[in-house]
Amino acid sequence: MSAPPPYQNQPQQPYGYPQQQQQQQQQQQQYGYPQQQPYGYPQQPQGPQGPQRPQGPQRQSSPLRGLITAVIILAIFGGGAWYVWDYNTNPHGGKAKKEAAQAARAEENKKYDPQVGDCVKVHDPQGEPRAEIVDCGSAEAEYKTGDKLFGAGERCGSKFDYGIHVSIRHSTSYTLCFTKV
């Protein structure tokens, strides 16, 4: 059996195109309905817009954005540089304060580290004696330093009136020997 020949007034459809869908299309066109594609055929975009693809964020470089970035970077580095400068130079805090405190402690320690020939006043002679350097012409002067003997077990001889054993934090120990002023 063969297929009947097509009618004269109808255009020939491609192989596999159902006749019923062709009739629906003709009816829709007649009555003003929009034309729809048959099932399985790709749809064409409708109108000038068509389907829109999602787009990723677009980076727009502007002079203002670059200026803001530069200002932020300069502020960070400038703040860090100011902190380092202030830490090293401010006498009320930081490195300069530590150095000043060390110098004051060194000066204070010098005051309590008599050398041979220095006059001293002894604080707490019965407990933990500490010899403070004073002017030999002042009323505070009690003793004159006569000798400094290094070693843990050293003792002052009979020519001295008073002696103090000094230990400095596990490093050295010595004995100071004094004569009355």
Side-chain angles (χ1 to χ4, degrees), residues 11-43:
Q12 189 162 356
Q13 295 297 320
Y15 177 76
Y17 193 82
Q19 183 114 12
Q20 188 178 22
Q21 287 181 353
Q22 180 184 10
Q23 289 172 355
Q24 285 176 354
Q25 283 180 346
Q26 288 173 353
Q27 286 175 354
Q28 287 173 353
Q29 287 173 355
Q30 243 179 1
Y31 299 112
Y33 292 114
Q35 183 177 358
Q36 291 184 352
Q37 294 290 334
Y39 177 75
Y41 285 85
Q43 290 191 358

Side-chain angles (χ1 to χ4, degrees), residues 114-120 122 131 143-150 154-166 174-180:
Q115 302 302 315
V116 175
D118 289 338
C119 293
V120 297
V122 177
Y143 299 98
K144 186 170 188 170
T145 308
D147 204 357
K148 192 173 192 177
L149 306 172
F150 290 95
E154 295 294 323
R155 294 192 175 264
C156 297
S158 60
K159 64 179 183 176
F160 297 106
D161 298 316
Y162 187 68
I164 299 175
H165 180 72
V166 179
Y174 55 90
T175 302
L176 292 170
C177 301
F178 303 101
T179 57
K180 281 228 184 244

